[in-house]
Amino acid sequence: MDINKRCKIIILETSDIHGALLPIQYANNAPTSSGFAKIAAMIEQERGRGSFVLVVDNGDLIQGTPLVYHHAKLNAEAPNPMVRSLNEAGYDAAVLGNHEFNYGLELLNKAVRESHFPWLCANIVDAATGEPYFGTPYRMFKSPEGVKVAVLGLTTHYIPHWEKPEHIAGLRFEHVLESARKWVAKVREEEQPDVMVVSYHGGFERDLNTGEPTEPLTGENVGYALCTEVEGIDVLLTGHQHRTIAQEVNGVTVVQPGSQGTKLGKVELELERREDRFVIVSRKAELLSPEGFEAVPSIVKLVQKDEELTQAWLDTPIGKLLGDMRITDPMAVRLKEHPLIEFINRVQMDISGARISNTALFDNISPGFPPDITMRDIVSNYIYPNTLQVIRISGQDIKDALERFASYFATYTGGPVTVNPAFSEPKPQHYNYDMWEGIRYKLNIALPEGQRVVQLEYEGKPLNMNAEYDVVMNNYRAGGGGNYTMFQGKPVVRDIPTDMAELLASYIMERGTIEASLNANWEVIWE
């Protein structure tokens, strides 16, 4: 075999960076071993190896850290720091993620205009014309040896279930599978690529080895179906679920590189020229770690001004706290009411006028509030750009939701309380366990799932299953996010479009001093 007939191409993927540009933790500015500036150093290294390299970002880029929040809310006229960084790193393409829409179309369109690379998305279309809204469903690339590579972009069509309507006005989200079938066939016929890459901001709905369902088949994730039901895909770049995956599914090479710049996905293909085209003869998928790499100096310098403005904003004092709202044990917070959770629920009730509220402790690194509260403390605890909605639901809906929340815990059989694997695999979903104010309840996790609500009262009486109640919650949950289907399609009594972090900050600033309180209206037991 003539070795000169063979060549390699490398496809590198980032996904779900979520604004994690610099290798720091904004809660305390401690260094981390991840972040885009370190990933960029890995990209430079891969480009230096001599093979043809394509670099694709798979979405959820411009939201998620105080740096990008500050840009979006207080410095939006400046160039987008994430886009500038990808430009500097020489990206070839990007795909829209669901969180790209969190700050509205104006900011997103500005980011797209500033990009030196195309944003690919075949299935988000202009509602009036039916044409891809962002103009570029796919892009063709050609290696020096003549290998033709097509990269098609797709985005989970479940976005309307989460996003504020005004942020997606004029858009239609077509089903990913239908769009994939249409566009893969079209690209194969018209462009005749040697390699067909689909970059899909979405994940997997089934076990990759057994094909068994791993979540309700809502359509949010259809990665397994793309591998098994759409002909012609060679490589599937995925994300959204924040998993670490590098393997093959039904002959399709699949990668998913975690989140926050903790991994770089790499697909290496070896191709052989046969007559007038190239054929893939070997393939390898792997995930590369940025540990040990230094942040690329040019990127750090590029965003220095953005970072300085963010740090000054984060350390601006906004009020004082009497009492203790620090968090030392996240599991304890979820087992018995904590002053921080009660405070957030009380703010939601005060702002909305609703008499019942729920909220979550979003992750296990939330520090709580110190005596002198700054913006850093706000964004370290309320990490998502959620807004609030008041929806009208029945007593039965509340009970059903509490049973779903109670399933967060594994059935207790002795020893420490543990999290149900359904809420920890394939990624931690602490944000899908809410705690309530305005009702009194008790959950017994020694009982089977679906039978754990052993006390449920409103205003001193058993909750009426047939009565209707107005409940305030974040927009993600109100739309049924987290598989809380009992909330989907319920009447929206009030919509509060301001980000919750801003609402918390405004509430504290208006009062100057807040006080920790605890009415202990709920608890989790195991007896």
Side-chain angles (χ1 to χ4, degrees):
M1 182 67 66
D2 185 356
I3 197 68
N4 292 324
K5 290 185 178 181
R6 293 196 171 190
C7 62
K8 288 182 179 180
I9 66 168
I10 305 295
I11 302 160
L12 302 178
E13 179 206 9
T14 52
S15 190
D16 300 272
I17 295 291
H18 283 290
L21 207 164
L22 301 175
I24 61 171
Q25 170 58 251
Y26 281 100
N28 53 18
N29 280 340
T32 68
S33 58
S34 57
F36 178 77
K38 284 177 174 278
I39 292 288
M42 302 170 69
I43 293 171
E44 288 183 353
Q45 182 182 80
E46 290 296 321
R47 284 200 175 110
R49 298 188 189 279
S51 297
F52 178 65
V53 176
L54 284 176
V55 188
V56 180
D57 184 77
N58 192 57
D60 281 5
L61 175 73
I62 64 173
Q63 172 276 334
T65 60
L67 175 71
V68 290
Y69 180 92
H70 178 270
H71 166 77
K73 293 297 183 179
L74 299 171
N75 196 33
E77 298 80 10
N80 189 293
M82 293 307 302
V83 168
R84 294 178 73 196
S85 298
L86 264 64
N87 287 342
E88 178 70 13
Y91 267 62
D92 296 292
V95 173
L96 293 155
N98 53 294
H99 283 286
E100 256 65 72
F101 296 90
N102 283 170
Y103 299 123
L105 276 177
E106 183 177 350
L107 187 100
L108 175 53
N109 286 330
K110 174 177 174 290
V112 171
R113 290 194 302 270
E114 292 170 356
S115 302
H116 296 169
F117 48 86
W119 288 76
L120 310 178
C121 191
N123 68 305
I124 301 179
V125 303
D126 187 304
T129 66
E131 295 298 316
Y133 178 82
F134 294 92
T136 313
Y138 71 94
R139 178 60 63 92
M140 295 296 302
F141 301 92
K142 195 171 187 178
S143 77
E145 299 86 359
V147 177
K148 295 194 295 182
V149 182
V151 181
L152 172 70
L154 296 166
T155 302
T156 175
H157 56 265
Y158 215 62
I159 290 173
H161 287 83
W162 307 311
E163 194 53 74
K164 290 187 283 188
E166 62 268 28
H167 286 177
I168 54 175
L171 303 182
R172 187 171 74 246
F173 295 80
E174 297 186 338
H175 198 288
V176 166
L177 273 180
E178 295 171 3
S179 291
R181 290 189 184 100
K182 168 187 172 181
W183 284 99
V184 170
K186 179 181 176 66
V187 172
R188 280 287 191 188
E189 180 181 355
E190 296 181 1
E191 305 285 359
Q192 298 187 358
D194 301 302
V195 180
M196 184 76 222
V197 179
V198 172
S199 187
Y200 164 51
H201 187 83
F204 294 93
E205 73 284 22
R206 296 179 181 272
D207 183 280
L208 300 188
N209 298 310
T210 68
E212 291 297 313
T214 53
E215 63 183 34
L217 301 179
T218 62
E220 175 181 351
N221 299 298
V222 294
Y224 190 87
L226 285 173
C227 293
T228 57
E229 298 179 24
V230 180
E231 294 185 5
I233 301 175
D234 296 309
V235 176
L236 181 65
L237 310 178
T238 66
H240 186 55
Q241 292 175 314
H242 300 187
R243 298 169 65 178
T244 49
I245 298 170
Q247 66 175 85
E248 287 194 23
V249 178
N250 193 40
V252 179
T253 305
V254 171
V255 288
Q256 188 172 143
S259 65
Q260 280 82 34
T262 55
K263 299 289 183 182
L264 176 66
K266 178 182 177 181
V267 175
E268 181 178 306
L269 303 176
E270 186 173 10
L271 295 100
E272 179 180 288
R273 184 189 290 276
R274 296 178 182 173
E275 297 180 353
D276 60 345
R277 63 166 301 162
F278 286 86
V279 177
I280 299 172
V281 293
S282 71
R283 54 181 74 205
K284 178 183 178 183
E286 60 183 321
L287 300 177
L288 309 178
S289 171
E291 288 191 37
F293 283 82
E294 296 296 324
V296 173
S298 63
I299 289 178
V300 174
K301 183 178 180 181
L302 195 69
V303 299
Q304 182 177 349
K305 183 62 176 177
D306 302 88
E307 177 67 7
E308 289 173 354
L309 291 171
T310 300
Q311 291 290 348
W313 169 69
L314 284 171
D315 290 324
T316 302
I318 62 172
K320 291 187 174 294
L321 167 65
L322 298 179
D324 187 4
M325 287 191 190
R326 290 191 182 275
I327 293 174
T328 56
D329 183 349
M331 180 60 86
V333 174
R334 298 185 179 102
L335 294 174
K336 196 167 185 176
E337 191 174 30
H338 185 278
L340 177 70
I341 300 301
E342 180 167 310
F343 171 72
I344 294 174
N345 272 322
R346 292 287 183 190
V347 171
Q348 292 185 172
M349 294 163 77
D350 180 85
I351 290 169
S352 68
R355 301 178 70 178
I356 303 175
S357 173
N358 64 47
T359 192
L361 181 68
F362 293 119
D363 58 29
N364 283 342
I365 60 173
S366 295
F369 288 165
D372 293 303
I373 304 172
T374 66
M375 284 301 305
R376 191 184 303 278
D377 300 314
I378 299 289
V379 298
S380 295
N381 287 281
Y382 209 102
I383 60 176
Y384 295 115
N386 293 332
T387 60
L388 296 179
Q389 286 187 331
V390 179
I391 61 173
R392 184 159 292 158
I393 59 179
S394 69
Q396 187 64 53
D397 291 329
I398 293 175
K399 185 176 186 295
D400 291 344
L402 286 172
E403 289 289 2
R404 163 80 177 140
F405 291 125
S407 70
Y408 171 83
F409 302 101
T411 303
Y412 186 81
T413 57
V417 176
T418 58
V419 177
N420 183 342
F423 285 80
S424 60
E425 299 171 5
K427 69 172 182 177
Q429 298 176 48
H430 304 301
Y431 53 83
N432 279 332
Y433 172 72
D434 287 350
M435 294 155 279
W436 293 59
E437 191 65 40
I439 56 175
R440 183 168 295 276
Y441 65 95
K442 190 176 294 186
L443 309 176
N444 188 341
I445 60 174
L447 298 176
E449 290 183 25
Q451 303 174 33
R452 294 179 171 180
V453 178
V454 294
Q455 179 186 355
L456 180 52
E457 299 175 354
Y458 177 67
E459 295 183 339
K461 298 178 182 179
L463 191 75
N464 185 337
M465 296 295 105
N466 297 316
E468 291 187 324
Y469 301 89
D470 291 350
V471 182
V472 60
M473 60 189 76
N474 68 58
N475 62 303
Y476 172 78
R477 186 72 74 239
N483 297 319
Y484 288 87
T485 55
M486 70 290 297
F487 297 149
Q488 286 182 350
K490 294 303 167 69
V492 177
V493 178
R494 187 178 179 194
D495 183 50
I496 302 167
T498 305
D499 285 359
M500 188 59 190
E502 291 183 38
L503 294 174
L504 288 169
S506 297
Y507 184 94
I508 295 169
M509 286 188 286
E510 287 171 6
R511 286 154 181 79
T513 299
I514 62 171
E515 187 171 355
S517 64
L518 199 62
N519 64 5
N521 65 297
W522 64 268
E523 66 176 330
V524 177
I525 62 173
W526 47 93
E527 58 184 26

